[in-house]
């Protein structure tokens, strides 16, 4: 009985050890996924800006999807979608801080959705930060290249698309109660819940066996002896 009762606990310990061992590689892979998504997004952003400057430097507007999406080159001293145009230096400092915080927290990620969201956010922030650091009128005050134009909407770029997509994705994850570390809103992740359910089931089965195999079970030696003693007293 003692060995059987201890079996589920040993299994739980083994599962916890396995989760602890596999958790670190999983988090490392998500960290590198964040950096990979950011690198791809920054590359796409900077390449598209270079092409836009080469093709649209004459100030022309070129349709891409009719009048729904057109190309027109502008230089934005502000943030995404031309916000905060008078605070370029402050925006540069904030962008550096945001990128640093994202990289720091990406090491603790346990959610694929959050990894994608932070990768897009990091790529978008870095794309516009590069413009502010390298373009005219000077270091930290450079103007961001924008060239994507929608009707009745500020002109934007690929970096802005990444930032907006990240905001939508992170918002959805927050509504679902998914935390960056992979846990749900109650602090318990799906994997941990499955392990706990398995252990609870094993304990219930073990307790049931203990009752069925206890001293009152028909056929048990103790019960048979008690029955014989009762018969002798009746006689």
């Amino acid at each position: 009985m003692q060995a059987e009762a201890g079996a589920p606990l040993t299994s739980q310990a083994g599962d916890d050890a396995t989760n602890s061992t596999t958790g670190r590689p999983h988090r490392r892979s998500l960290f590198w996924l964040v950096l990979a998504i950011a690198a791809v997004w920054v590359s796409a952003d900077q390449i598209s800006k270079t092409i836009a400057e080469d093709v649209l430097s004459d100030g022309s507007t070129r349709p891409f999807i009719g009048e729904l999406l057109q190309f027109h080159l502008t230089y934005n001293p502000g943030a995404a979608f031309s916000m905060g145009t008078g605070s370029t230096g402050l925006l540069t400092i904030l962008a550096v801080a945001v990128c640093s915080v994202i990289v720091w927290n990406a090491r603790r990620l346990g959610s694929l959705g959050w990894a994608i969201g932070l990768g897009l956010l990091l790529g978008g922030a870095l794309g516009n930060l590069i413009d502010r650091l390298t373009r005219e009128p000077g270091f930290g005050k450079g103007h961001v290249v924008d060239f994507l134009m929608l009707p009745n909407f500020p002109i934007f770029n690929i970096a802005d698309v990444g930032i907006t997509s990240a905001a939508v994705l992170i918002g959805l994850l927050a509504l679902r109660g998914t935390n960056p570390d992979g846990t749900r809103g109650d602090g318990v992740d799906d994997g941990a819940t499955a392990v706990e359910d398995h252990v609870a089931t094993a304990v219930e089965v073990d307790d049931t066996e203990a009752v069925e195999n206890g001293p009152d079970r028909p056929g048990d030696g103790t019960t048979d002896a008690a029955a014989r003693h009762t018969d002798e007293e009746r006689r």
Side-chain angles (χ1 to χ4, degrees), residues 101-191:
V101 170
I102 292 174
V103 173
W104 176 262
N105 286 281
R107 302 179 306 160
R108 301 179 177 85
L109 287 179
S111 166
L112 176 61
W114 273 92
I116 297 173
L118 291 185
L120 292 172
L121 182 59
L122 180 60
L126 284 175
N128 287 336
L129 178 60
I130 291 173
D131 285 11
R132 295 191 180 98
L133 295 177
T134 61
R135 296 184 182 276
E136 297 295 335
F139 182 82
K141 298 181 179 180
H143 293 179
V144 176
V145 176
D146 289 334
F147 61 93
L148 299 174
M149 185 169 64
L150 296 174
N152 303 314
F153 198 80
I155 301 177
F156 57 100
N157 56 41
I158 300 297
D160 297 336
V161 174
I163 294 172
T164 304
S165 300
V168 172
L169 178 56
I170 291 174
L172 292 175
L173 291 170
L175 289 175
R176 291 186 57 189
T178 303
N179 298 320
D181 61 0
T183 60
R184 304 291 293 179
D186 54 5
V188 179
D189 63 3
D190 296 335

Side-chain angles (χ1 to χ4, degrees), residues 22-37 106-112 115-116:
T22 59
R24 288 189 294 271
H26 177 62
R27 291 188 176 187
R28 282 200 296 268
S29 64
L30 291 178
F31 173 74
W32 287 112
L33 177 62
V34 171
L35 298 186
I37 292 174
R107 302 179 306 160
R108 301 179 177 85
L109 287 179
S111 166
L112 176 61
I116 297 173

Side-chain angles (χ1 to χ4, degrees), residues 25-126:
H26 177 62
R27 291 188 176 187
R28 282 200 296 268
S29 64
L30 291 178
F31 173 74
W32 287 112
L33 177 62
V34 171
L35 298 186
I37 292 174
V40 170
W41 208 264
V42 169
S43 299
D45 175 69
Q46 292 298 308
I47 292 173
S48 64
K49 288 174 178 176
T50 300
I51 295 175
E53 287 188 302
D54 290 341
V55 176
L56 304 172
S57 58
D58 57 356
S60 62
T61 299
R62 301 192 179 187
F64 180 66
I65 306 178
E67 295 185 356
L68 178 61
L69 176 62
Q70 303 181 75
F71 296 146
H72 181 78
L73 180 65
T74 63
Y75 292 91
N76 173 24
F81 307 115
S82 301
M83 295 184 293
T85 56
S87 306
T88 305
L90 177 60
L91 291 172
T92 300
I93 297 174
L94 290 176
V96 173
V98 168
C99 293
S100 301
V101 170
I102 292 174
V103 173
W104 176 262
N105 286 281
R107 302 179 306 160
R108 301 179 177 85
L109 287 179
S111 166
L112 176 61
W114 273 92
I116 297 173
L118 291 185
L120 292 172
L121 182 59
L122 180 60
L126 284 175

